Structures are given as C-alpha cells and as structure tokens.
Amino acid sequence: MAYEATKDQYLASRGANLQFRNAFPVVVSDTEDLPIYAKALKCNAAGTLYILPVEAYKKGILTPVKWVAAAGEVIPGQVARVFSTNTTLSAASDIIALAD
C-alpha cells in the first residue's frame, strides 16, 4: 500500500497548532540543529534538557533554556536544537522530535 494524498485531510493544514506529522529521535548537539525544527519534544525518560527555542533562535539568541522533564512529558514548544552540554537525556530513544 502506498501513501495517498487524497486521504490526507491535513495536507494543506500545516501549522504550529496542528498535531505532528513526522517524528524522529533527537541527536543532542551543541552545534547542530535538528534536521527539522520540532513543534514539540516527547521525553520518554525523566531528565534535564537544554533547548534552543525557535523564536529565540530567529532573534539571534543562542542561550540554552533549561527544561526538567518527567518521563512521558511532551514539551509543547517549537525547538531548533537540543544541546548536549548538561542534557541528561542522551540515548536516541530518550527524546523524540514531533514535527510537520
């Protein structure tokens, strides 16, 4: 079976408030952005993350923001990068990016 655009009622409805359409494991890095900016992050384990919000990044602010997450928590903000320094969640399955 193949993907059918005619069955995809949300194809033209992209936006920050719409549910995710793509998901991938996050590779933490102090220098590399996510391949697609996430509209949210799903944390499969408890721990601390240092994130770069998209809007701050657009304004040239590169200061990491600390987020203490519970296992199963969804961080409901757009994220460009998850820094490796001081982030305690580092296994590929620990953080999942949710994106368009």
Side-chain angles (χ1 to χ4, degrees):
M1 211 171 230
Y3 168 83
E4 292 183 43
T6 58
K7 292 183 179 181
D8 191 348
Q9 62 182 335
Y10 299 110
L11 183 61
S13 303
R14 295 180 173 233
N17 295 327
L18 187 67
Q19 295 87 356
F20 73 94
R21 295 177 53 86
N22 193 1
F24 55 91
V26 170
V27 176
V28 297
S29 172
D30 287 338
T31 58
E32 297 294 320
D33 295 344
L34 299 175
I36 301 170
Y37 294 164
K39 55 176 42 182
L41 298 176
K42 168 80 164 60
C43 300
N44 290 324
T48 302
L49 294 88
Y50 283 82
I51 61 174
L52 179 58
V54 170
E55 191 61 28
Y57 198 16
K58 278 175 55 177
K59 294 177 180 176
I61 300 168
L62 297 175
T63 305
V65 175
K66 180 180 180 180
W67 191 287
V68 179
E73 182 175 356
V74 174
I75 298 172
Q78 294 179 297
V79 176
R81 183 183 306 167
V82 179
F83 293 90
S84 58
T85 299
N86 297 320
T87 292
T88 60
L89 302 175
S90 59
S93 63
D94 284 350
I95 312 167
I96 304 299
L98 306 177
D100 270 340

